[in-house]
DNA sequence: GGCCAGGACACCA
DNA sequence: TGGTGTCATGGC
Protein backbone atom coordinates (compact mmCIF):
# COMPACT_ATOMS: atom_id res chain seq x y z
CA UNK A 1 0.00 0.00 0.00
CA UNK A 2 1.31 3.42 -0.96
CA UNK A 3 2.09 5.72 1.93
CA UNK A 4 0.97 8.73 -0.12
CA UNK A 5 -2.28 10.16 1.26
CA UNK A 6 -5.36 10.42 -0.99
CA UNK A 7 -5.35 13.64 -3.01
CA UNK A 8 -6.87 16.60 -1.20
CA UNK A 9 -7.39 14.71 2.03
CA UNK A 10 -7.06 17.76 4.28
CA UNK A 11 -9.43 19.82 2.14
CA UNK A 12 -11.97 16.99 2.06
CA UNK A 13 -11.82 16.33 5.80
CA UNK A 14 -12.97 19.80 6.85
CA UNK A 15 -16.58 19.55 5.63
CA UNK A 16 -16.81 16.06 7.14
CA UNK A 17 -15.95 17.20 10.65
CA UNK A 18 -18.01 20.36 10.22
CA UNK A 19 -21.05 18.27 9.33
CA UNK A 20 -20.50 15.92 12.26
CA UNK A 21 -20.06 18.83 14.69
CA UNK A 22 -23.23 20.53 13.46
CA UNK A 23 -25.25 17.33 13.71
CA UNK A 24 -24.00 15.90 17.01
CA UNK A 25 -22.82 19.01 18.86
CA UNK A 26 -20.00 19.15 21.46
CA UNK A 27 -19.02 15.71 22.76
CA UNK A 28 -17.16 16.70 25.96
CA UNK A 29 -14.69 13.81 25.77
CA UNK A 30 -13.12 11.99 27.59
CA UNK A 31 -15.75 11.29 30.30
CA UNK A 32 -13.41 11.11 33.33
CA UNK A 33 -12.83 13.12 36.51
CA UNK A 34 -9.05 12.72 36.59
CA UNK A 35 -6.13 11.34 34.56
CA UNK A 36 -6.01 7.91 36.11
CA UNK A 37 -9.73 7.39 35.60
CA UNK A 38 -9.26 8.33 31.93
CA UNK A 39 -6.39 5.88 31.54
CA UNK A 40 -8.16 3.07 33.38
CA UNK A 41 -11.18 3.67 31.16
CA UNK A 42 -9.00 3.45 28.05
CA UNK A 43 -7.63 0.08 29.16
CA UNK A 44 -11.01 -1.26 30.27
CA UNK A 45 -12.91 -0.23 27.13
CA UNK A 46 -10.60 -2.17 24.78
CA UNK A 47 -12.83 -4.14 22.41
CA UNK A 48 -15.75 -3.68 24.79
CA UNK A 49 -18.87 -1.53 24.97
CA UNK A 50 -18.36 1.59 27.09
CA UNK A 51 -21.27 0.64 29.39
CA UNK A 52 -19.31 -2.45 30.44
CA UNK A 53 -16.12 -0.49 31.00
CA UNK A 54 -18.10 2.03 33.07
CA UNK A 55 -19.35 -0.73 35.34
CA UNK A 56 -15.79 -1.79 36.02
CA UNK A 57 -14.79 1.84 36.69
CA UNK A 58 -17.71 2.16 39.12
CA UNK A 59 -16.54 -0.97 40.93
CA UNK A 60 -13.00 0.41 41.21
CA UNK A 61 -14.33 3.74 42.48
CA UNK A 62 -16.50 2.03 45.10
CA UNK A 63 -13.46 0.02 46.21
CA UNK A 64 -11.43 3.27 46.42
CA UNK A 65 -8.95 1.67 44.03
CA UNK A 66 -9.08 4.08 41.09
CA UNK A 67 -5.49 5.27 41.42
CA UNK A 68 -1.97 3.98 40.83
CA UNK A 69 -1.53 3.01 44.46
CA UNK A 70 -5.10 1.77 44.73
CA UNK A 71 -4.52 -0.74 41.93
CA UNK A 72 -1.19 -1.84 43.41
CA UNK A 73 -2.78 -2.40 46.82
CA UNK A 74 -5.35 -4.87 45.48
CA UNK A 75 -4.67 -8.58 45.26
CA UNK A 76 -4.98 -10.08 41.80
CA UNK A 77 -8.24 -11.96 42.32
CA UNK A 78 -9.99 -8.96 43.87
CA UNK A 79 -8.88 -6.75 40.98
CA UNK A 80 -10.15 -9.33 38.49
CA UNK A 81 -13.56 -9.42 40.17
CA UNK A 82 -13.84 -5.63 40.14
CA UNK A 83 -13.12 -5.36 36.41
CA UNK A 84 -15.04 -8.49 35.39
CA UNK A 85 -17.99 -6.59 33.81
CA UNK A 86 -15.65 -5.12 31.19
CA UNK A 87 -14.82 -8.54 29.75
CA UNK A 88 -11.37 -10.10 29.26
CA UNK A 89 -11.14 -9.51 32.98
CA UNK A 90 -7.94 -11.46 33.60
CA UNK A 91 -6.12 -9.53 30.87
CA UNK A 92 -7.56 -6.19 31.91
CA UNK A 93 -6.62 -6.67 35.54
CA UNK A 94 -3.09 -7.47 34.37
CA UNK A 95 -3.06 -4.38 32.13
CA UNK A 96 -4.12 -2.06 34.96
CA UNK A 97 -1.45 -3.55 37.18
CA UNK A 98 1.16 -3.36 34.41
CA UNK A 99 0.44 0.34 33.95
CA UNK A 100 0.43 1.11 37.68
CA UNK A 101 3.72 -0.74 38.18
CA UNK A 102 5.31 1.24 35.38
CA UNK A 103 4.30 4.57 36.95
CA UNK A 104 5.53 3.37 40.34
CA UNK A 105 8.86 2.04 39.06
CA UNK A 106 9.71 4.69 36.47
CA UNK A 107 8.08 7.85 37.89
CA UNK A 108 7.92 7.32 41.62
CA UNK A 109 4.19 6.78 41.40
CA UNK A 110 3.64 10.26 39.96
CA UNK A 111 1.33 9.94 36.97
CA UNK A 112 1.80 13.63 36.16
CA UNK A 113 5.52 13.02 35.66
CA UNK A 114 4.77 10.47 32.94
CA UNK A 115 2.11 12.60 31.26
CA UNK A 116 4.34 15.69 31.13
CA UNK A 117 6.90 13.99 28.89
CA UNK A 118 7.21 15.37 25.32
CA UNK A 119 4.80 13.63 22.96
CA UNK A 120 7.28 11.47 21.04
CA UNK A 121 8.95 10.11 24.16
CA UNK A 122 5.63 9.73 25.94
CA UNK A 123 4.22 7.66 23.08
CA UNK A 124 7.28 5.39 22.95
CA UNK A 125 7.14 4.90 26.71
CA UNK A 126 3.41 4.15 26.72
CA UNK A 127 3.85 1.62 23.91
CA UNK A 128 6.54 -0.11 25.97
CA UNK A 129 3.98 -0.87 28.70
CA UNK A 130 2.35 -4.28 28.35
CA UNK A 131 -1.33 -3.82 27.50
CA UNK A 132 -0.96 -0.37 25.92
CA UNK A 133 -1.17 -0.52 22.13
CA UNK A 134 -1.24 2.31 19.61
CA UNK A 135 -4.86 3.32 20.04
CA UNK A 136 -4.75 3.29 23.83
CA UNK A 137 -1.46 5.18 23.86
CA UNK A 138 -2.84 7.88 21.56
CA UNK A 139 -6.01 8.20 23.64
CA UNK A 140 -3.91 8.66 26.79
CA UNK A 141 -1.67 11.23 25.07
CA UNK A 142 -4.66 13.15 23.75
CA UNK A 143 -7.14 13.01 26.61
CA UNK A 144 -4.94 12.64 29.70
CA UNK A 145 -1.76 14.46 28.61
CA UNK A 146 -3.67 16.85 26.32
CA UNK A 147 -1.07 16.61 23.58
CA UNK A 148 -2.02 16.36 19.87
CA UNK A 149 -1.87 12.67 19.00
CA UNK A 150 -4.75 11.67 16.72
CA UNK A 151 -6.63 8.59 17.90
CA UNK A 152 -7.41 6.22 15.06
CA UNK A 153 -9.72 3.36 15.96
CA UNK A 154 -11.93 0.99 14.02
CA UNK A 155 -14.62 3.65 13.73
CA UNK A 156 -12.18 6.11 12.16
CA UNK A 157 -11.28 3.72 9.36
CA UNK A 158 -14.91 2.66 8.91
CA UNK A 159 -16.31 6.19 8.79
CA UNK A 160 -13.61 7.59 6.50
CA UNK A 161 -13.81 4.65 4.12
CA UNK A 162 -17.60 4.83 4.06
CA UNK A 163 -17.33 8.34 2.61
CA UNK A 164 -14.58 7.31 0.23
CA UNK A 165 -11.73 9.28 1.81
CA UNK A 166 -9.59 6.20 2.37
CA UNK A 167 -9.68 2.54 1.43
CA UNK A 168 -11.21 0.23 4.01
CA UNK A 169 -8.07 -1.87 4.29
CA UNK A 170 -5.78 1.09 5.02
CA UNK A 171 -3.76 0.43 8.17
CA UNK A 172 -4.53 2.48 11.25
CA UNK A 173 -0.88 3.49 11.42
CA UNK A 174 -1.10 5.04 7.97
CA UNK A 175 -4.46 6.70 8.59
CA UNK A 176 -3.03 8.33 11.72
CA UNK A 177 0.00 9.55 9.78
CA UNK A 178 -2.19 11.08 7.07
CA UNK A 179 -4.62 12.72 9.49
CA UNK A 180 -1.80 14.25 11.53
CA UNK A 181 -0.25 15.62 8.37
CA UNK A 182 -3.58 17.00 7.19
CA UNK A 183 -4.94 18.52 10.42
CA UNK A 184 -3.11 21.17 12.45
CA UNK A 185 -1.84 19.74 15.78
CA UNK A 186 -4.46 21.13 18.15
CA UNK A 187 -5.31 18.75 21.03
CA UNK A 188 -8.78 20.20 21.55
CA UNK A 189 -9.58 19.77 17.88
CA UNK A 190 -8.18 16.24 17.78
CA UNK A 191 -10.16 15.36 20.89
CA UNK A 192 -13.41 16.59 19.42
CA UNK A 193 -12.80 15.00 16.02
CA UNK A 194 -12.15 11.58 17.50
CA UNK A 195 -15.20 11.82 19.75
CA UNK A 196 -17.36 12.82 16.78
CA UNK A 197 -16.08 9.93 14.69
CA UNK A 198 -16.94 7.47 17.45
CA UNK A 199 -20.34 9.06 17.95
CA UNK A 200 -21.08 8.82 14.23
CA UNK A 201 -19.57 5.35 13.95
CA UNK A 202 -21.97 4.08 16.58
CA UNK A 203 -24.97 5.43 14.71
CA UNK A 204 -26.67 2.79 12.58
CA UNK A 205 -25.77 2.85 8.88
CA UNK A 206 -28.24 1.24 6.48
CA UNK A 207 -25.71 1.29 3.66
CA UNK A 208 -28.41 2.64 1.35
CA UNK A 209 -29.43 6.16 0.24
CA UNK A 210 -32.38 5.73 2.62
CA UNK A 211 -30.72 7.40 5.63
CA UNK A 212 -31.99 10.99 5.60
CA UNK A 213 -30.85 11.57 9.20
CA UNK A 214 -27.20 10.81 8.34
CA UNK A 215 -25.10 14.01 8.48
CA UNK A 216 -22.65 12.57 5.94
CA UNK A 217 -25.22 11.22 3.48
CA UNK A 218 -24.32 13.67 0.70
CA UNK A 219 -20.67 12.55 0.73
CA UNK A 220 -21.31 8.91 1.65
CA UNK A 221 -20.65 6.21 -0.91
CA UNK A 222 -24.07 4.79 -0.09
CA UNK A 223 -25.75 8.14 -0.66
CA UNK A 224 -24.26 8.92 -4.06
CA UNK A 225 -21.00 10.47 -2.86
CA UNK A 226 -17.90 10.16 -4.99
CA UNK A 227 -15.67 7.25 -4.05
CA UNK A 228 -12.05 8.34 -3.92
CA UNK A 229 -9.72 5.66 -5.22
C1' DG B 1 -28.25 -18.18 19.76
C1' DG B 2 -25.40 -15.03 17.13
C1' DC B 3 -23.30 -10.73 16.62
C1' DC B 4 -20.96 -6.80 18.17
C1' DA B 5 -18.64 -3.54 21.19
C1' DG B 6 -14.14 3.17 21.63
C1' DG B 7 -7.76 -3.65 21.22
C1' DA B 8 -3.60 -5.90 22.36
C1' DC B 9 -0.61 -9.64 22.28
C1' DA B 10 1.58 -14.05 20.88
C1' DC B 11 2.80 -16.55 17.15
C1' DC B 12 3.69 -17.38 12.49
C1' DA B 13 4.97 -16.88 7.52
C1' DT C 1 4.76 -6.00 7.89
C1' DG C 2 0.53 -8.57 7.86
C1' DG C 3 -2.77 -12.40 9.05
C1' DT C 4 -4.88 -15.38 12.64
C1' DG C 5 -6.25 -17.14 17.25
C1' DT C 6 -7.12 -15.82 21.93
C1' DC C 7 -9.04 -13.28 25.58
C1' DA C 8 -14.90 -12.59 27.97
C1' DT C 9 -18.79 -9.74 29.53
C1' DG C 10 -23.30 -7.66 28.46
C1' DG C 11 -26.90 -5.60 25.26
C1' DC C 12 -29.72 -6.31 21.42
Amino acid sequence: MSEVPPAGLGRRLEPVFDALARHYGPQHWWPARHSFEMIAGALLVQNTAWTNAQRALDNLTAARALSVQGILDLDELTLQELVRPSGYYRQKAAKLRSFARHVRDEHGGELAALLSLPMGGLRRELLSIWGVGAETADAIILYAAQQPSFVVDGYTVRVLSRIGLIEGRTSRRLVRKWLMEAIAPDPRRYAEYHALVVRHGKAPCRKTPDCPECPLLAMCRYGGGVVLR
Side-chain angles (χ1 to χ4, degrees), chain A residues 10 16 22-23 31 33 39 42 49 61 79 133 135-136 155 166 187-188 193 196 208-209 215 225 227:
Chain A
V16 173
R22 276 197 307 273
H23 187 79
R33 292 161 292 184
I39 292 165
T61 300
L79 181 54
E135 183 183 331
T136 304
Y155 286 133
I166 61 170
R188 295 179 65 176
Y193 283 4
L196 286 167
T208 70
V227 176

Side-chain angles (χ1 to χ4, degrees), chain A residues 3-229:
Chain A
E3 300 230 348
V4 179
L9 181 62
R11 173 178 52 79
R12 295 172 58 104
L13 279 169
E14 248 180 78
V16 173
F17 288 120
D18 286 349
L20 293 176
R22 276 197 307 273
H23 187 79
Y24 296 109
Q27 297 301 298
H28 307 293
W29 267 34
W30 187 286
R33 292 161 292 184
H34 49 84
S35 296
F36 190 80
E37 178 171 344
M38 184 274 139
I39 292 165
L43 292 167
L44 292 169
V45 79
Q46 289 175 1
N47 206 35
T48 300
W50 176 255
T51 50
N52 291 357
Q54 185 63 61
R55 284 194 183 88
L57 284 173
D58 291 344
N59 288 345
L60 290 170
T61 300
R64 297 183 175 281
L66 198 52
S67 64
V68 169
Q69 193 57 48
I71 294 295
L72 293 172
D73 287 344
L74 290 173
D75 66 82
E76 192 65 20
L77 287 181
T78 302
L79 181 54
Q80 287 181 3
E81 282 310 304
L82 292 173
V83 304
R84 182 187 280 270
S86 66
Y88 308 109
Y89 62 94
R90 293 184 189 88
Q91 283 197 358
K92 287 183 178 173
K95 289 176 181 182
L96 285 172
R97 194 177 297 280
S98 163
F99 184 86
R101 280 180 176 152
H102 180 89
V103 176
R104 178 195 64 190
D105 295 342
E106 302 300 324
H107 300 282
E110 293 297 324
L111 183 55
L114 169 65
L115 297 178
S116 63
L117 292 173
M119 191 164 81
L122 173 57
R123 191 167 196 269
R124 279 191 295 277
E125 187 164 327
L126 288 170
L127 290 173
S128 77
I129 302 172
W130 186 87
V132 179
E135 183 183 331
T136 304
D138 291 326
I140 291 171
I141 295 168
L142 183 58
Y143 292 104
Q146 297 174 23
Q147 299 188 57
S149 189
F150 206 102
V151 182
V152 173
D153 60 1
Y155 286 133
T156 313
V157 176
R158 195 184 313 170
V159 168
L160 295 183
S161 68
R162 212 185 274 164
I163 56 178
L165 282 187
I166 61 170
E167 296 179 26
R169 64 174 184 275
T170 311
S171 72
R172 296 185 186 186
R173 178 193 67 80
L174 204 49
V175 173
R176 174 173 181 271
K177 178 173 180 286
W178 291 344
L179 291 179
M180 291 186 65
E181 288 169 356
I183 307 171
D186 173 0
R188 295 179 65 176
R189 177 172 296 231
Y190 280 18
E192 197 60 21
Y193 283 4
H194 173 64
L196 286 167
V197 166
V198 174
R199 175 68 181 271
H200 182 66
K202 286 181 175 179
C205 173
R206 300 183 197 176
K207 299 187 175 180
T208 70
D210 184 25
C211 301
E213 71 279 10
C214 176
L216 302 183
L217 186 64
M219 45 192 115
C220 176
R221 64 172 62 195
Y222 304 118
V226 175
V227 176
L228 191 68
R229 281 177 288 115

